[in-house]
Amino acid sequence: MKAEILNIGDEILLGQIANTNAMFISRSLVKAGVVLRWITVVGDSKEEILQSLKTAFRRADVVIITGGLGPTHDDVTKYAVSEYFGSPIVFNPELYGKLIKRFEERGLKMPEVSRNQAEVPAKARILPNPLGTAPGLHFEESGKHCFVLPGVPAEMRRIVEDSIVPFFLKHTGGARSCLRYKTLRTTGIFESRLMEMLGDVREIEQFAKLAFLPHTAGVDLRLTVMSRSHEDCRQRLERAEALVRNKVNRYIFGEDDDTLEERVAALLFKQKRTIAAAESCTGGLLSHKLTNVPGSSNYFLGSVIAYSNEVKMNVLGVSSQTLEQFGAVSESTAKEMAEGVRNRLGADFGLSTTGIAGPGGGTPEKPVGLVYIGFSDGTAIAAKKFIFTNDRLANKERSSAAALDYLRRHLLKII
Amino acid sequence: MKAEILNIGDEILLGQIANTNAMFISRSLVKAGVVLRWITVVGDSKEEILQSLKTAFRRADVVIITGGLGPTHDDVTKYAVSEYFGSPIVFNPELYGKLIKRFEERGLKMPEVSRNQAEVPAKARILPNPLGTAPGLHFEESGKHCFVLPGVPAEMRRIVEDSIVPFFLKHTGGARSCLRYKTLRTTGIFESRLMEMLGDVREIEQFAKLAFLPHTAGVDLRLTVMSRSHEDCRQRLERAEALVRNKVNRYIFGEDDDTLEERVAALLFKQKRTIAAAESCTGGLLSHKLTNVPGSSNYFLGSVIAYSNEVKMNVLGVSSQTLEQFGAVSESTAKEMAEGVRNRLGADFGLSTTGIAGPGGGTPEKPVGLVYIGFSDGTAIAAKKFIFTNDRLANKERSSAAALDYLRRHLLKII
């Protein structure tokens, strides 16, 4: 089955947003065993959409459309597909009921303009959209499939995961030729150093293609295998992974879509320990990451964001002498912050960050990018020094990742 | 002149990279006064590229191709355009000289595989590529233009800036038609309600095209104007903007690339006031946003992330009676948290969030998505109730935006 993605949106053509929807759908289709052959982007015009649909169905068996499903006048996708499939738009009482309920649950009256979200082409099967008002649509004609999805990324993603991937997994009974990849996620090591440690990559590439994908706070190692049989795919991936892990395992915190915070959360949860954070240079990002994990209230008690020295002293109990003698950005302050927040909030562990995020505030002795990460379990109190870059947001990202990784290593006792 | 971008690359179809090249070219074309109408992505296959070129030239006057120009076996773009334009590939001694020199300057011998980078279709004009070995190519036929660029982003960008944008600015006489857009950014209001408040959009669309772009925590209103003269463009945009602002100004926090936190930062800085936050359901995201703005230590003192009730009581001074009687997610708790953190950290203003982010923890009385935002300036202490969705990350985003907007309105006295 050959697939095409058709993204509708002037904002993509004007370069105002990157087409991340296409990227997400591409990945999902790989998982579902569907081969994506074309991505097309056109503007919010009914004529353009109709033309592109004709082109798409001349060559593809599956067309996935995103965008232009909202309630406003510039949303024309529904009318274009209705015309293409010769399927008049009808009022759907069930959708209308859900729509009313959706607004009621928020204590709001539904605006009149939203009523058209309950009007859909008669032939379409409805794909539920639990995060928004525009339902997804599925048309099937002469063995070809058309899926129509809202352009809001979270809503689109949810429908792809809930409805489209399962549909293809069932429909194709698993793909005939197999393309698989696996990503091993590392942090705390440079790309060039990783490459050096891996040695001659040809050994690995006997089994799987290896790609280095550097991010702000780590490097992903992607292994890709294409083969006729699932079993061969699986074996090749396994052997390539074993070779990689054999050399750089201590830097690998997870696989594929795993995040560092999820890994740390799982360890804390398993060890039944609690954590509190004292953040200076990360300004809340570390706590934000820790609380992104559902159920984080099981191990996360709270944090103190101590931007000013007064807060460091009055709330965390950092001594004025330490601040005077070593400064706010120092190993001693990081240690006192970690122990202070652990003690103040009654947690098993305290984790701290203090540094110069930039762009201003650097000196020759303490440049922008200098960061200390502190850790305390009440008896052992330690800190580690890092020097990152001169980019504020990247420094916040990297410091948060370094703190999470420091905690991970303490929990795994591989410090 | 209507343009199409044709991106070549299996890695885009597999979702391994986002198509940022298309985004860059889109923006450059806007500047050059060329209207982009289609973006197409196909894989590294000569047949596919030929087919897509035919489709593109049936509808567009300008086709810009990226990718597949490298020296390795999987780079086939050059052969496809050579065939399309009936222009045989010939050896170019001048390019060869530059290629040799390029390697010599790095103290390297040119690998044999790179020799083909000096072989180009005879009809093509060469577009210099100072950052790599694959030159850009320009074909002109019956008034239509085809540009072929390498896929490496830095190289592609350089050729677009050095050769393509200047070509169109010259060719079109400084853009005979002018395309301009402006985005008015709103928060705290639904798309459908915004549309209702704007009334008959035809009044606005006399002057500029209006698009609604909903995000997780707000809706952008984009006004686009295309006209023969720059002065007319400017005037139309101004009149359209005035009509929009006249109706929904209180929801507009900024323009184009402005963020809500930057707007709030500017207000705090101007009014020389300081802020501290007490976060529960946002878990650090609100502070993270506040500290993303360089220089935030001028107005941001710190925060307390109070996930557990003990932290709410012991650090923020929320009374146990309030927690027992009304619960942690309540108007009273939000107020006490805001006043508590203001008082504890010695700030002018206290801002608080408490809610049920989900996915668990909801009850019939207090469903997932229920959030209270609190504010205190020491005398006036207020809170506001919101009901968001059942998506954890979206709830954190929306609650943070709601808190920032609540603060913005207090600072502007438009509460």
Side-chain angles (χ1 to χ4, degrees), chain B residues 238-264:
Chain B
E238 243 172 42
R239 297 185 70 172
E241 180 179 348
L243 285 169
V244 172
R245 284 198 182 269
N246 189 34
K247 286 171 176 160
V248 297
N249 199 44
R250 61 188 284 117
Y251 299 100
I252 298 172
F253 66 82
E255 298 178 0
D256 298 325
D257 296 328
D258 290 348
T259 63
L260 190 50
E261 51 270 28
E262 283 166 355
R263 182 71 185 120
V264 167

PDB file of all heavy atoms in Angstrom, chain B residues 238-264:
ATOM      1  N   GLU B 238      -2.871  47.914   8.089  1.00  0.00           N
ATOM      2  CA  GLU B 238      -3.212  48.815   9.192  1.00  0.00           C
ATOM      3  C   GLU B 238      -4.720  48.874   9.422  1.00  0.00           C
ATOM      4  O   GLU B 238      -5.205  48.818  10.548  1.00  0.00           O
ATOM      5  CB  GLU B 238      -2.722  50.231   8.874  1.00  0.00           C
ATOM      6  CG  GLU B 238      -1.686  50.722   9.847  1.00  0.00           C
ATOM      7  CD  GLU B 238      -1.092  52.040   9.381  1.00  0.00           C
ATOM      8  OE1 GLU B 238      -1.855  52.924   8.903  1.00  0.00           O
ATOM      9  OE2 GLU B 238       0.140  52.171   9.478  1.00  0.00           O
ATOM     10  N   ARG B 239      -5.480  48.991   8.328  1.00  0.00           N
ATOM     11  CA  ARG B 239      -6.932  49.098   8.471  1.00  0.00           C
ATOM     12  C   ARG B 239      -7.533  47.795   8.986  1.00  0.00           C
ATOM     13  O   ARG B 239      -8.428  47.805   9.835  1.00  0.00           O
ATOM     14  CB  ARG B 239      -7.570  49.519   7.150  1.00  0.00           C
ATOM     15  CG  ARG B 239      -7.081  50.922   6.741  1.00  0.00           C
ATOM     16  CD  ARG B 239      -7.766  51.419   5.504  1.00  0.00           C
ATOM     17  NE  ARG B 239      -9.183  51.734   5.746  1.00  0.00           N
ATOM     18  CZ  ARG B 239      -9.944  52.338   4.832  1.00  0.00           C
ATOM     19  NH1 ARG B 239      -9.424  52.683   3.673  1.00  0.00           N
ATOM     20  NH2 ARG B 239     -11.210  52.586   5.094  1.00  0.00           N
ATOM     21  N   ALA B 240      -7.016  46.683   8.474  1.00  0.00           N
ATOM     22  CA  ALA B 240      -7.530  45.393   8.944  1.00  0.00           C
ATOM     23  C   ALA B 240      -7.204  45.210  10.426  1.00  0.00           C
ATOM     24  O   ALA B 240      -8.055  44.787  11.217  1.00  0.00           O
ATOM     25  CB  ALA B 240      -6.918  44.266   8.113  1.00  0.00           C
ATOM     26  N   GLU B 241      -5.982  45.555  10.793  1.00  0.00           N
ATOM     27  CA  GLU B 241      -5.586  45.398  12.193  1.00  0.00           C
ATOM     28  C   GLU B 241      -6.473  46.248  13.107  1.00  0.00           C
ATOM     29  O   GLU B 241      -6.902  45.791  14.175  1.00  0.00           O
ATOM     30  CB  GLU B 241      -4.120  45.782  12.377  1.00  0.00           C
ATOM     31  CG  GLU B 241      -3.673  45.635  13.831  1.00  0.00           C
ATOM     32  CD  GLU B 241      -2.209  45.989  14.064  1.00  0.00           C
ATOM     33  OE1 GLU B 241      -1.456  46.135  13.082  1.00  0.00           O
ATOM     34  OE2 GLU B 241      -1.830  46.126  15.255  1.00  0.00           O
ATOM     35  N   ALA B 242      -6.744  47.471  12.690  1.00  0.00           N
ATOM     36  CA  ALA B 242      -7.572  48.363  13.508  1.00  0.00           C
ATOM     37  C   ALA B 242      -8.956  47.751  13.726  1.00  0.00           C
ATOM     38  O   ALA B 242      -9.505  47.794  14.831  1.00  0.00           O
ATOM     39  CB  ALA B 242      -7.678  49.728  12.834  1.00  0.00           C
ATOM     40  N   LEU B 243      -9.523  47.156  12.667  1.00  0.00           N
ATOM     41  CA  LEU B 243     -10.851  46.538  12.789  1.00  0.00           C
ATOM     42  C   LEU B 243     -10.815  45.374  13.784  1.00  0.00           C
ATOM     43  O   LEU B 243     -11.725  45.215  14.605  1.00  0.00           O
ATOM     44  CB  LEU B 243     -11.330  46.032  11.427  1.00  0.00           C
ATOM     45  CG  LEU B 243     -11.799  47.118  10.455  1.00  0.00           C
ATOM     46  CD1 LEU B 243     -11.989  46.534   9.063  1.00  0.00           C
ATOM     47  CD2 LEU B 243     -13.111  47.748  10.950  1.00  0.00           C
ATOM     48  N   VAL B 244      -9.758  44.554  13.709  1.00  0.00           N
ATOM     49  CA  VAL B 244      -9.652  43.418  14.626  1.00  0.00           C
ATOM     50  C   VAL B 244      -9.477  43.914  16.060  1.00  0.00           C
ATOM     51  O   VAL B 244     -10.179  43.492  16.979  1.00  0.00           O
ATOM     52  CB  VAL B 244      -8.470  42.498  14.226  1.00  0.00           C
ATOM     53  CG1 VAL B 244      -8.237  41.433  15.290  1.00  0.00           C
ATOM     54  CG2 VAL B 244      -8.739  41.845  12.872  1.00  0.00           C
ATOM     55  N   ARG B 245      -8.533  44.856  16.237  1.00  0.00           N
ATOM     56  CA  ARG B 245      -8.261  45.349  17.585  1.00  0.00           C
ATOM     57  C   ARG B 245      -9.485  46.019  18.194  1.00  0.00           C
ATOM     58  O   ARG B 245      -9.726  45.920  19.393  1.00  0.00           O
ATOM     59  CB  ARG B 245      -7.087  46.333  17.565  1.00  0.00           C
ATOM     60  CG  ARG B 245      -5.742  45.640  17.418  1.00  0.00           C
ATOM     61  CD  ARG B 245      -4.608  46.555  17.839  1.00  0.00           C
ATOM     62  NE  ARG B 245      -3.320  45.928  17.670  1.00  0.00           N
ATOM     63  CZ  ARG B 245      -2.694  45.215  18.615  1.00  0.00           C
ATOM     64  NH1 ARG B 245      -3.242  45.065  19.804  1.00  0.00           N
ATOM     65  NH2 ARG B 245      -1.533  44.666  18.385  1.00  0.00           N
ATOM     66  N   ASN B 246     -10.245  46.676  17.373  1.00  0.00           N
ATOM     67  CA  ASN B 246     -11.445  47.354  17.836  1.00  0.00           C
ATOM     68  C   ASN B 246     -12.407  46.388  18.517  1.00  0.00           C
ATOM     69  O   ASN B 246     -13.126  46.742  19.441  1.00  0.00           O
ATOM     70  CB  ASN B 246     -12.125  48.024  16.634  1.00  0.00           C
ATOM     71  CG  ASN B 246     -13.257  48.930  17.063  1.00  0.00           C
ATOM     72  OD1 ASN B 246     -13.178  49.544  18.130  1.00  0.00           O
ATOM     73  ND2 ASN B 246     -14.298  49.004  16.252  1.00  0.00           N
ATOM     74  N   LYS B 247     -12.375  45.140  18.079  1.00  0.00           N
ATOM     75  CA  LYS B 247     -13.335  44.170  18.611  1.00  0.00           C
ATOM     76  C   LYS B 247     -12.779  43.229  19.677  1.00  0.00           C
ATOM     77  O   LYS B 247     -13.501  42.808  20.562  1.00  0.00           O
ATOM     78  CB  LYS B 247     -13.936  43.357  17.463  1.00  0.00           C
ATOM     79  CG  LYS B 247     -14.930  44.203  16.676  1.00  0.00           C
ATOM     80  CD  LYS B 247     -15.371  43.525  15.416  1.00  0.00           C
ATOM     81  CE  LYS B 247     -16.443  44.355  14.703  1.00  0.00           C
ATOM     82  NZ  LYS B 247     -16.551  44.010  13.300  1.00  0.00           N
ATOM     83  N   VAL B 248     -11.526  42.843  19.570  1.00  0.00           N
ATOM     84  CA  VAL B 248     -11.010  41.814  20.497  1.00  0.00           C
ATOM     85  C   VAL B 248      -9.688  42.213  21.144  1.00  0.00           C
ATOM     86  O   VAL B 248      -8.918  41.342  21.567  1.00  0.00           O
ATOM     87  CB  VAL B 248     -10.846  40.445  19.766  1.00  0.00           C
ATOM     88  CG1 VAL B 248     -12.196  39.935  19.294  1.00  0.00           C
ATOM     89  CG2 VAL B 248      -9.869  40.548  18.608  1.00  0.00           C
ATOM     90  N   ASN B 249      -9.449  43.499  21.252  1.00  0.00           N
ATOM     91  CA  ASN B 249      -8.128  43.967  21.704  1.00  0.00           C
ATOM     92  C   ASN B 249      -7.702  43.403  23.058  1.00  0.00           C
ATOM     93  O   ASN B 249      -6.532  43.119  23.269  1.00  0.00           O
ATOM     94  CB  ASN B 249      -8.088  45.494  21.750  1.00  0.00           C
ATOM     95  CG  ASN B 249      -6.653  45.999  21.762  1.00  0.00           C
ATOM     96  OD1 ASN B 249      -5.832  45.501  20.995  1.00  0.00           O
ATOM     97  ND2 ASN B 249      -6.352  46.946  22.636  1.00  0.00           N
ATOM     98  N   ARG B 250      -8.644  43.222  23.978  1.00  0.00           N
ATOM     99  CA  ARG B 250      -8.260  42.794  25.315  1.00  0.00           C
ATOM    100  C   ARG B 250      -7.666  41.398  25.344  1.00  0.00           C
ATOM    101  O   ARG B 250      -6.998  41.026  26.295  1.00  0.00           O
ATOM    102  CB  ARG B 250      -9.431  42.907  26.284  1.00  0.00           C
ATOM    103  CG  ARG B 250     -10.637  42.051  25.906  1.00  0.00           C
ATOM    104  CD  ARG B 250     -11.850  42.342  26.777  1.00  0.00           C
ATOM    105  NE  ARG B 250     -11.740  41.771  28.102  1.00  0.00           N
ATOM    106  CZ  ARG B 250     -11.697  42.453  29.242  1.00  0.00           C
ATOM    107  NH1 ARG B 250     -11.759  43.752  29.231  1.00  0.00           N
ATOM    108  NH2 ARG B 250     -11.618  41.845  30.389  1.00  0.00           N
ATOM    109  N   TYR B 251      -7.903  40.626  24.300  1.00  0.00           N
ATOM    110  CA  TYR B 251      -7.339  39.274  24.242  1.00  0.00           C
ATOM    111  C   TYR B 251      -5.999  39.226  23.510  1.00  0.00           C
ATOM    112  O   TYR B 251      -5.336  38.210  23.497  1.00  0.00           O
ATOM    113  CB  TYR B 251      -8.327  38.326  23.561  1.00  0.00           C
ATOM    114  CG  TYR B 251      -9.633  38.226  24.317  1.00  0.00           C
ATOM    115  CD1 TYR B 251     -10.754  38.939  23.915  1.00  0.00           C
ATOM    116  CD2 TYR B 251      -9.706  37.447  25.463  1.00  0.00           C
ATOM    117  CE1 TYR B 251     -11.932  38.868  24.633  1.00  0.00           C
ATOM    118  CE2 TYR B 251     -10.881  37.379  26.190  1.00  0.00           C
ATOM    119  CZ  TYR B 251     -11.999  38.095  25.771  1.00  0.00           C
ATOM    120  OH  TYR B 251     -13.144  38.029  26.489  1.00  0.00           O
ATOM    121  N   ILE B 252      -5.628  40.327  22.869  1.00  0.00           N
ATOM    122  CA  ILE B 252      -4.380  40.349  22.093  1.00  0.00           C
ATOM    123  C   ILE B 252      -3.225  40.727  23.011  1.00  0.00           C
ATOM    124  O   ILE B 252      -3.189  41.813  23.567  1.00  0.00           O
ATOM    125  CB  ILE B 252      -4.478  41.348  20.926  1.00  0.00           C
ATOM    126  CG1 ILE B 252      -5.589  40.921  19.965  1.00  0.00           C
ATOM    127  CG2 ILE B 252      -3.133  41.451  20.186  1.00  0.00           C
ATOM    128  CD1 ILE B 252      -5.900  41.929  18.873  1.00  0.00           C
ATOM    129  N   PHE B 253      -2.274  39.802  23.160  1.00  0.00           N
ATOM    130  CA  PHE B 253      -1.151  40.128  24.043  1.00  0.00           C
ATOM    131  C   PHE B 253       0.089  40.527  23.277  1.00  0.00           C
ATOM    132  O   PHE B 253       1.022  41.093  23.860  1.00  0.00           O
ATOM    133  CB  PHE B 253      -0.830  38.954  24.980  1.00  0.00           C
ATOM    134  CG  PHE B 253      -0.316  37.726  24.269  1.00  0.00           C
ATOM    135  CD1 PHE B 253       1.013  37.624  23.904  1.00  0.00           C
ATOM    136  CD2 PHE B 253      -1.166  36.674  23.971  1.00  0.00           C
ATOM    137  CE1 PHE B 253       1.497  36.494  23.252  1.00  0.00           C
ATOM    138  CE2 PHE B 253      -0.700  35.543  23.313  1.00  0.00           C
ATOM    139  CZ  PHE B 253       0.638  35.460  22.949  1.00  0.00           C
ATOM    140  N   GLY B 254       0.155  40.248  21.995  1.00  0.00           N
ATOM    141  CA  GLY B 254       1.370  40.591  21.257  1.00  0.00           C
ATOM    142  C   GLY B 254       1.223  40.351  19.766  1.00  0.00           C
ATOM    143  O   GLY B 254       0.144  39.980  19.288  1.00  0.00           O
ATOM    144  N   GLU B 255       2.332  40.556  19.046  1.00  0.00           N
ATOM    145  CA  GLU B 255       2.330  40.429  17.587  1.00  0.00           C
ATOM    146  C   GLU B 255       3.440  39.492  17.117  1.00  0.00           C
ATOM    147  O   GLU B 255       4.482  39.397  17.751  1.00  0.00           O
ATOM    148  CB  GLU B 255       2.569  41.802  16.944  1.00  0.00           C
ATOM    149  CG  GLU B 255       1.487  42.811  17.268  1.00  0.00           C
ATOM    150  CD  GLU B 255       1.785  44.175  16.666  1.00  0.00           C
ATOM    151  OE1 GLU B 255       2.825  44.329  15.993  1.00  0.00           O
ATOM    152  OE2 GLU B 255       0.961  45.081  16.871  1.00  0.00           O
ATOM    153  N   ASP B 256       3.198  38.845  16.002  1.00  0.00           N
ATOM    154  CA  ASP B 256       4.211  38.026  15.308  1.00  0.00           C
ATOM    155  C   ASP B 256       4.946  37.064  16.238  1.00  0.00           C
ATOM    156  O   ASP B 256       4.344  36.143  16.736  1.00  0.00           O
ATOM    157  CB  ASP B 256       5.166  38.929  14.520  1.00  0.00           C
ATOM    158  CG  ASP B 256       4.408  39.715  13.450  1.00  0.00           C
ATOM    159  OD1 ASP B 256       3.457  39.153  12.892  1.00  0.00           O
ATOM    160  OD2 ASP B 256       4.727  40.886  13.209  1.00  0.00           O
ATOM    161  N   ASP B 257       6.231  37.286  16.510  1.00  0.00           N
ATOM    162  CA  ASP B 257       6.977  36.307  17.308  1.00  0.00           C
ATOM    163  C   ASP B 257       6.959  36.597  18.811  1.00  0.00           C
ATOM    164  O   ASP B 257       7.670  35.951  19.588  1.00  0.00           O
ATOM    165  CB  ASP B 257       8.432  36.214  16.815  1.00  0.00           C
ATOM    166  CG  ASP B 257       8.498  35.682  15.401  1.00  0.00           C
ATOM    167  OD1 ASP B 257       7.632  34.863  15.052  1.00  0.00           O
ATOM    168  OD2 ASP B 257       9.394  36.092  14.651  1.00  0.00           O
ATOM    169  N   ASP B 258       6.186  37.570  19.258  1.00  0.00           N
ATOM    170  CA  ASP B 258       6.087  37.863  20.699  1.00  0.00           C
ATOM    171  C   ASP B 258       5.601  36.649  21.476  1.00  0.00           C
ATOM    172  O   ASP B 258       4.761  35.899  20.999  1.00  0.00           O
ATOM    173  CB  ASP B 258       5.045  38.971  20.960  1.00  0.00           C
ATOM    174  CG  ASP B 258       5.515  40.330  20.474  1.00  0.00           C
ATOM    175  OD1 ASP B 258       6.715  40.476  20.137  1.00  0.00           O
ATOM    176  OD2 ASP B 258       4.674  41.244  20.414  1.00  0.00           O
ATOM    177  N   THR B 259       6.107  36.478  22.700  1.00  0.00           N
ATOM    178  CA  THR B 259       5.535  35.457  23.572  1.00  0.00           C
ATOM    179  C   THR B 259       4.856  36.154  24.758  1.00  0.00           C
ATOM    180  O   THR B 259       5.167  37.313  25.077  1.00  0.00           O
ATOM    181  CB  THR B 259       6.602  34.488  24.124  1.00  0.00           C
ATOM    182  OG1 THR B 259       7.519  35.236  24.928  1.00  0.00           O
ATOM    183  CG2 THR B 259       7.363  33.802  23.006  1.00  0.00           C
ATOM    184  N   LEU B 260       3.960  35.424  25.403  1.00  0.00           N
ATOM    185  CA  LEU B 260       3.222  35.975  26.535  1.00  0.00           C
ATOM    186  C   LEU B 260       4.185  36.329  27.665  1.00  0.00           C
ATOM    187  O   LEU B 260       4.048  37.372  28.324  1.00  0.00           O
ATOM    188  CB  LEU B 260       2.196  34.926  26.977  1.00  0.00           C
ATOM    189  CG  LEU B 260       1.131  35.282  27.992  1.00  0.00           C
ATOM    190  CD1 LEU B 260       0.397  36.560  27.626  1.00  0.00           C
ATOM    191  CD2 LEU B 260       0.133  34.130  28.109  1.00  0.00           C
ATOM    192  N   GLU B 261       5.196  35.474  27.905  1.00  0.00           N
ATOM    193  CA  GLU B 261       6.138  35.731  28.992  1.00  0.00           C
ATOM    194  C   GLU B 261       6.988  36.976  28.705  1.00  0.00           C
ATOM    195  O   GLU B 261       7.332  37.726  29.619  1.00  0.00           O
ATOM    196  CB  GLU B 261       7.012  34.514  29.287  1.00  0.00           C
ATOM    197  CG  GLU B 261       7.713  33.867  28.106  1.00  0.00           C
ATOM    198  CD  GLU B 261       6.881  32.770  27.448  1.00  0.00           C
ATOM    199  OE1 GLU B 261       5.639  32.836  27.503  1.00  0.00           O
ATOM    200  OE2 GLU B 261       7.489  31.842  26.857  1.00  0.00           O
ATOM    201  N   GLU B 262       7.304  37.216  27.439  1.00  0.00           N
ATOM    202  CA  GLU B 262       8.056  38.428  27.101  1.00  0.00           C
ATOM    203  C   GLU B 262       7.224  39.674  27.367  1.00  0.00           C
ATOM    204  O   GLU B 262       7.716  40.685  27.853  1.00  0.00           O
ATOM    205  CB  GLU B 262       8.459  38.421  25.618  1.00  0.00           C
ATOM    206  CG  GLU B 262       9.633  37.516  25.326  1.00  0.00           C
ATOM    207  CD  GLU B 262       9.809  37.259  23.832  1.00  0.00           C
ATOM    208  OE1 GLU B 262       8.950  37.727  23.034  1.00  0.00           O
ATOM    209  OE2 GLU B 262      10.770  36.585  23.472  1.00  0.00           O
ATOM    210  N   ARG B 263       5.954  39.587  27.051  1.00  0.00           N
ATOM    211  CA  ARG B 263       5.048  40.713  27.265  1.00  0.00           C
ATOM    212  C   ARG B 263       4.932  41.019  28.764  1.00  0.00           C
ATOM    213  O   ARG B 263       5.016  42.176  29.187  1.00  0.00           O
ATOM    214  CB  ARG B 263       3.689  40.358  26.675  1.00  0.00           C
ATOM    215  CG  ARG B 263       2.656  41.428  26.781  1.00  0.00           C
ATOM    216  CD  ARG B 263       2.964  42.593  25.851  1.00  0.00           C
ATOM    217  NE  ARG B 263       1.990  43.656  26.070  1.00  0.00           N
ATOM    218  CZ  ARG B 263       2.306  44.885  26.453  1.00  0.00           C
ATOM    219  NH1 ARG B 263       3.563  45.229  26.652  1.00  0.00           N
ATOM    220  NH2 ARG B 263       1.359  45.788  26.628  1.00  0.00           N
ATOM    221  N   VAL B 264       4.733  39.977  29.562  1.00  0.00           N
ATOM    222  CA  VAL B 264       4.625  40.144  31.011  1.00  0.00           C
ATOM    223  C   VAL B 264       5.944  40.673  31.582  1.00  0.00           C
ATOM    224  O   VAL B 264       5.959  41.584  32.420  1.00  0.00           O
ATOM    225  CB  VAL B 264       4.254  38.785  31.666  1.00  0.00           C
ATOM    226  CG1 VAL B 264       4.447  38.835  33.166  1.00  0.00           C
ATOM    227  CG2 VAL B 264       2.817  38.414  31.322  1.00  0.00           C
TER     228      VAL B 264
END
